[in-house]
Amino acid sequence: MRVVHIVEALGGGVYTYFKDLTNFFGNEAENLDLQTTVIYSAKRKEIDPKNIERDFSSKIALIEVDMEKELSLIKDLKATLKLRKVLKELNPDVIHLHSSKAGVIGRWANFTLFSNKKVFYTPHGYAFIRQDISASKQKLYKFIEKYTQLFFGGTTIACGDTEYEIAKSLGKAELVRNGVNFNILEPFYKPVINTRLKIGVVGRITAQKNPKLFNDIALLYPQHDFVWIGDGELRHLLTAENIHISGWFVDNLELLPQLNELDIYLQTSLWEGLPIAVLEAMALRKPILATNVIGNKDIVIPGVSGFLFDKIEDIDPLMKQLEDKTSRLNMGQQAYEQCKRDFNKDLNFFKLISIYKQ
């Protein structure tokens, strides 16, 4: 079976997802009679194109095609024509599209071939749930999603439960949750001994991650240390004296020891698909304190693996529970067990293959 993945949003958690996907599909190719190709765009700021061949399995074919994140009629048309040409040459049995942009132009390209390929689409966070764009643009993106699904078809494979509910309202849908690689993560776990509580997050410092809220929370708790593992264009919003910004890491594995040093993982994002960094924190036995938004609420079981909050005023009683060592460690252990049960990438990738073969 020939499978082609097309991805525009190759950055952040999606990059980790594809790193795991290419290694899994590369290693299982012979057993499962799979031939996998990844068509990708390397234009996102947060990735170094030189790292892609290093991080992705050598058993997977890689083809670069320029795709733009934002709407651009001329550039989108060029990308569609290029994808059409590549798909015609590859003649896959299955096309799996990742991110909103690839979901649209990939289906356009396939439609012009008048083929009967199996087409799947994973939004990794619908573009119309973004909180950094106007209401009119949200409506436009939702219109495009709805009618692309209606006219060009395909099955949406949601990466999280809320995304699945949205997908079902638009058309045919399946649920395959994001997952993490426990074989890689577990060797990095060591019991944490900090004299001051260390609270942190992993990610690019962007509007989506809401660094202002992270900073406001740090100002409320000057007795604790806060860490932003990453960097980004909005780092100037992190002004609290008890915040440390780590900067970028060449290799994702280099950040895992810093992630393990945290006592609490704090996710202040405005929206998500299903955040892999949160799953990695859970796999390292960190309790989660997160905003009650799409993606976060699909992971955290309140009072079990962490807490969700709607506004900053809600945090204090939750923080008091997490400041208690026994409570914090218990939640961290339950986070680990929940993650291993529901977000194991190998089990979830096998489910993905079964959907391809239906």
Side-chain angles (χ1 to χ4, degrees), residues 205 211-212 214-215 228 234-240 243 245:
I205 310 174
K212 183 182 182 304
F214 187 91
N215 191 75
W228 195 297
L234 296 183
R235 66 176 292 154
H236 63 277
L237 297 178
L238 299 175
T239 59
I243 294 178
I245 303 172

Side-chain angles (χ1 to χ4, degrees), residues 80-81 83-85 87-88 105-115 152:
T80 300
L81 294 174
L83 284 175
R84 182 186 187 278
K85 180 182 178 183
L87 289 173
K88 187 175 182 180
I105 64 175
R107 281 183 283 196
W108 290 353
N110 179 63
F111 179 78
T112 63
L113 291 171
F114 301 102
S115 70
F152 301 106

Side-chain angles (χ1 to χ4, degrees), residues 8 29 36 90 94 122 136 172 181 222 224 286 317 330 337 346:
E8 176 275 320
T36 303
L90 294 173
V94 171
T122 299
S136 59
K172 187 177 179 182
N181 190 329
H224 302 324
K286 310 305 168 190
N330 182 53
E337 291 169 3
D346 284 352

